[in-house]
């Protein structure tokens, strides 16, 4: 796994590409327009499950919140993408979360006229194409869950939901610590699928997401 | 889960400090449910009483170094006999050396009734009963049976429990800010005695092995240095030998440097993690304030520009809130911002300036917070964010520099070891053999290496064991946090909550750090927007410090008590660190503990001081008893000091005023 780029501008560009790719994947999986909270959850899953697809982790840590993953920098990038006309935004609203902090609510869609050429260029690079395929698999796996429930999956995720990391503390799986229970669980579930151990990364992602979903429904 | 001792009564007989009255000689106190308050002037034996209650249970044993306020660290928690001076604590308060004095403590432990009687001159056991059955009067038997009833594995654990949870002495350790003490308490409170004992035994084995390995390594190094120097002076100097001696000395220096660097890296890692946490929190807060401000502006825009699309409205809200143009990415010119702001204020269309007649306009107050306040907090947060980023970058740089140096050291050490080995081979055969003999240390060096391997293996096993037990202890964390919240909320004005925050520490001075269970504290404050981690007692006021720690102890007691049973809390002089504003709140928190469970016992000693704490405490804890029945009057029972004798009337007046105040609503 290579580490994320350290240059802030390059990091911002990578995050913006990730947002476009995730919203595009969500549209193809018919779960768009994508609520802001779901975008953050998908961004988190694309980080924590990146090792399953053997792609670089974009952000290896985040602050654990009661309402699920939230990346302030990613939110600022989404704002900029709206300004640049690549994303459109509807149902704009602001809500207080459980920590009494204000969060933007709304639904993201791609403005295909401007976003498609960018995505086309992105897909022309083999590494980025891999990321697109990974996000596509992630979105398809999540399509069995309603948009309202996607942000709740954090509780069921082996890394984010680990009780040993309390809310208000850092969930670190790829920055200064290399303990990623979610990726381990996805590998383990994948190995149980086939006796020959030839499970594809896509199958691992699918089985892990459906495992989380079952847990979510079981928890009521 | 353990059974806490619930005090029933104390009888002190023939002790010179407490002669009592002609009708009732000695000191006899029944600890009914709720509050029992020992009131008296300086020198009347309040602290001695606390010590007596403590020593009746611990017997003539203690853990050396436990009575300080500094961090517990890797202290050996095995109990040892009290020094003669400490054993004579009560004898020194009696002109006759307390030769015939005794104290009897009756208490409940779970469903069992226990009687402990000790001679005050030397703390020897005189009587020990369980459920009215007399037990063999030996310390060994007492220890085994009493610990079994409590659910503890060792006398050391009983001493830790009493000193850090049950008794709140004037000289005390702040449990909430001492993760090394927390790790011992969480271990003994929430793990079965066998597992808690195994934890302790593994920890001790590692500490002893670490100490032995370091001592042996230091001795070998010293001998090696001496031998090298001797060889260099005795033999004819050659360039090979000179280089050899120099390199060997450098190797020794680098070993020391490596140990120091490993310790520094552990510190730097903890430090950078704390800073990173702060940065992430500030980023969240800053985003929240940004959105709050946008929301406020958006409300104005929506009212003046009702047909705008969400995207357009959002773009304008952002432009007006932080002057950032999301379309081009530049800071908006003053002129544009002024134009839009004026149009919004005059209810004109923001884009074309057409005068609109909206139905209504929202005010500029949002949930009681003005836009000016939100702006000023946002600005403060942006500064905090910038400073936090710099701090994390600097801490990361320091950590990486130390890591780089460590790698460099390891490489140079390996290369030098290779060169030393080559140089030894280059020595003439007889000198080579003599050198080996002169050293005579190769076997010892191998032993050091074996010990280090064994230590690494044990540390890995212990780390894995603690990781598993951490999860078991963590199951109680939500209950502890909730209970702490209930106690702390009564005392603190600021928002304050516990957070489960395992901490990494090395057992001994070498090897990898182990992640131990611990709680941290988050609190809002005047200097920061939002709650921040308070990792040191210096980050809160003295009043806050005392009661945060007390609330933490109460929470631990409540959750760890088997079957939600009752417990006792004994506090020596709580008024000493409180200012007037906090005294009523303190009384409420203490009374909450006293009345929370019908069998809880709260024992407090206090000076005869004016102020609201003592009367409030009596009033709030009174339950079904008369105020005077809560109070033990040491003016009447204890031998008066010279000051008390000469001002007896005044002291009595203060005492009466306190009781009268307690009767006032």
């Amino acid at each position: 796994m290579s580490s994320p780029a350290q240059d802030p501008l390059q990091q911002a560009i990578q995050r913006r590409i990730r947002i476009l790719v995730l919203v595009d994947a969500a549209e193809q999986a018919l779960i768009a327009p994508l609520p802001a909270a779901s975008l953050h959850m998908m961004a988190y899953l694309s980080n924590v499950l990146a090792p399953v697809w053997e792609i670089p982790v974009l952000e290896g840590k985040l602050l654990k919140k009661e309402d699920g993953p939230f990346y302030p920098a990613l939110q600022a990038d989404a704002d900029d993408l709206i300004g640049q006309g690549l994303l459109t935004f509807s149902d704009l609203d602001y809500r207080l979360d459980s920590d009494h902090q204000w969060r933007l609510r709304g639904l993201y869609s791609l403005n295909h006229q401007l976003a498609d050429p960018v995505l086309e260029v992105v897909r022309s690079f083999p590494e980025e194409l891999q990321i697109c395929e990974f996000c596509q698999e992630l979105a398809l796996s999540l399509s069995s869950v309603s948009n309202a429930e996607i942000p709740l999956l954090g509780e069921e995720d082996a890394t984010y939901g680990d009780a040993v990391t309390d809310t208000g503390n850092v969930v670190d799986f790829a920055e200064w610590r290399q303990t990623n229970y979610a990726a381990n669980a996805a590998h383990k579930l994948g190995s149980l699928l086939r006796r020959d151990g030839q499970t594809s990364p896509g199958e691992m992602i699918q089985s892990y997401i459906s495992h989380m979903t079952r847990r979510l429904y079981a928890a009521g | 889960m353990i059974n806490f001792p619930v005090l029933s009564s104390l009888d002190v007989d023939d002790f010179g400090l407490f002669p009592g009255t002609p009708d009732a000689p000695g000191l006899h106190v029944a600890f009914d449910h709720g509050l029992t308050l020992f009131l008296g002037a300086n020198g009347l034996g309040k602290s001695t009483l606390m010590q007596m209650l403590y020593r009746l249970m611990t017997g003539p044993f203690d853990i050396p170094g436990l009575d300080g306020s500094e961090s517990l660290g890797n202290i050996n928690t095995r109990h040892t006999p009290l020094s003669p001076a400490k054993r004579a604590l009560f004898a020194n308060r009696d002109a006759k050396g307390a030769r015939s004095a005794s104290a009897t403590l009756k208490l409940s432990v779970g469903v069992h009734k226990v009687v402990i009687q000790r001679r005050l001159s030397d703390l020897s056991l005189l009587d020990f009963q369980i459920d009215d059955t007399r037990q063999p009067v030996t310390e060994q038997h007492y220890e085994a049976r009493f610990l079994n009833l409590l659910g503890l594995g060792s006398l050391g654990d009983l001493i830790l429990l009493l000193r850090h949870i049950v008794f709140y002495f004037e000289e005390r350790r702040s449990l909430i800010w001492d993760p090394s003490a927390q790790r011992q308490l969480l271990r003994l409170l929430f793990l079965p005695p066998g597992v808690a004992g195994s934890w302790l035994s593994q920890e001790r084995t590692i500490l002893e092995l670490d100490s032995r390995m370091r001592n042996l390594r230091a001795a070998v190094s010293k001998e090696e240095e001496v031998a090298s120097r001797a060889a260099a002076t005795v033999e004819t100097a050659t360039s090979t030998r000179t280089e050899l001696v120099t390199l060997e000395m450098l190797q020794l220096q680098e070993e020391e440097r490596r140990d120091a660097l490993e310790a520094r890296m552990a510190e730097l890692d903890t430090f950078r993690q704390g800073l990173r946490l702060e940065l992430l929190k500030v980023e969240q807060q800053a985003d929240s304030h940004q959105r709050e401000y946008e929301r406020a502006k958006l409300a104005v825009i929506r009212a003046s520009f009702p047909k705008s699309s969400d995207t357009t409205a959002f773009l304008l809200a952002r432009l007006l809130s932080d002057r950032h143009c999301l379309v081009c990415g530049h800071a908006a010119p003053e002129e544009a911002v002024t134009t839009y702001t004026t149009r919004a204020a005059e209810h004109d269309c923001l884009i074309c300036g057409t005068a609109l007649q909206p139905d209504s306009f929202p005010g500029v107050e949002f949930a009681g917070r003005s836009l000016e306040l939100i702006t000023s907090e946002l600005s403060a947060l942006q500064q905090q964010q910038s400073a936090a980023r710099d701090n994390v970058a600097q801490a990361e740089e320091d950590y990486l520099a130390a890591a780089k140096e460590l790698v460099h050291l390891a490489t140079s050490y390996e290369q030098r070891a290779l060169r030393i080995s080559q140089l030894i081979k280059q020595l003439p055969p007889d000198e080579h053999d003599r050198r080996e003999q002169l050293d005579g240390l190769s076997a010892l060096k191998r032993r050091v290496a074996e010990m280090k391997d064994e230590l690494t293996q044990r540390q890995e096993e212990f780390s894995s064991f603690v990781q598993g037990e951490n999860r078991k202890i963590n199951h109680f964390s939500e209950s502890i946090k909730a209970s702490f919240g209930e106690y702390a909320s009564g005392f603190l004005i600021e928002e304050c909550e516990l957070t489960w925050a395992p901490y990494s520490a090395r057992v001994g001075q070498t090897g990898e750090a182990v992640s131990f269970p611990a709680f941290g504290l988050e609190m809002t404050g005047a200097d920061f927007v939002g709650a921040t981690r308070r990792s040191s007692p210096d980050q809160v006021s003295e009043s806050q410090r005392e009661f945060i720690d007390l609330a933490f102890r109460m929470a631990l007691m409540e959750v760890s008590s088997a079957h939600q049973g009752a417990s006792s809390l004994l506090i020596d002089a709580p008024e000493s660190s409180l200012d007037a504003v906090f005294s009523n709140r303190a009384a409420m928190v203490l009374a909450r503990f006293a009345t929370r469970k019908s069998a809880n016992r709260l024992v407090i000693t206090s000076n005869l001081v004016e102020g609201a704490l003592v009367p409030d405490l009596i009033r709030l804890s009174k339950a079904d008893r008369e105020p005077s029945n809560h109070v033990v009057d040491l003016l009447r029972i204890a031998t008066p000091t010279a000051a008390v004798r000469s001002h007896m009337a005044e002291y009595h007046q203060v005492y009466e005023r306190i009781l009268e105040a307690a009767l006032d609503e």
Side-chain angles (χ1 to χ4, degrees), chain A residues 16-28:
Chain A
R16 287 175 200 184
I17 291 171
R18 182 63 57 92
I19 293 167
L20 291 177
V21 167
L22 286 171
V23 178
D24 180 49
E27 288 190 351
Q28 291 185 49

Side-chain angles (χ1 to χ4, degrees), chain A residues 91 94 102 166 169 175 177, chain B residues 273 276 294 310 481 499:
Chain A
D91 289 3
Y94 296 88
W102 286 100
D166 206 348
N169 288 278
E175 188 172 71
R177 301 282 177 269
Chain B
Q273 289 198 45
R276 182 178 67 173
E294 278 172 24
D310 281 339
K481 283 157 64 178
T499 181

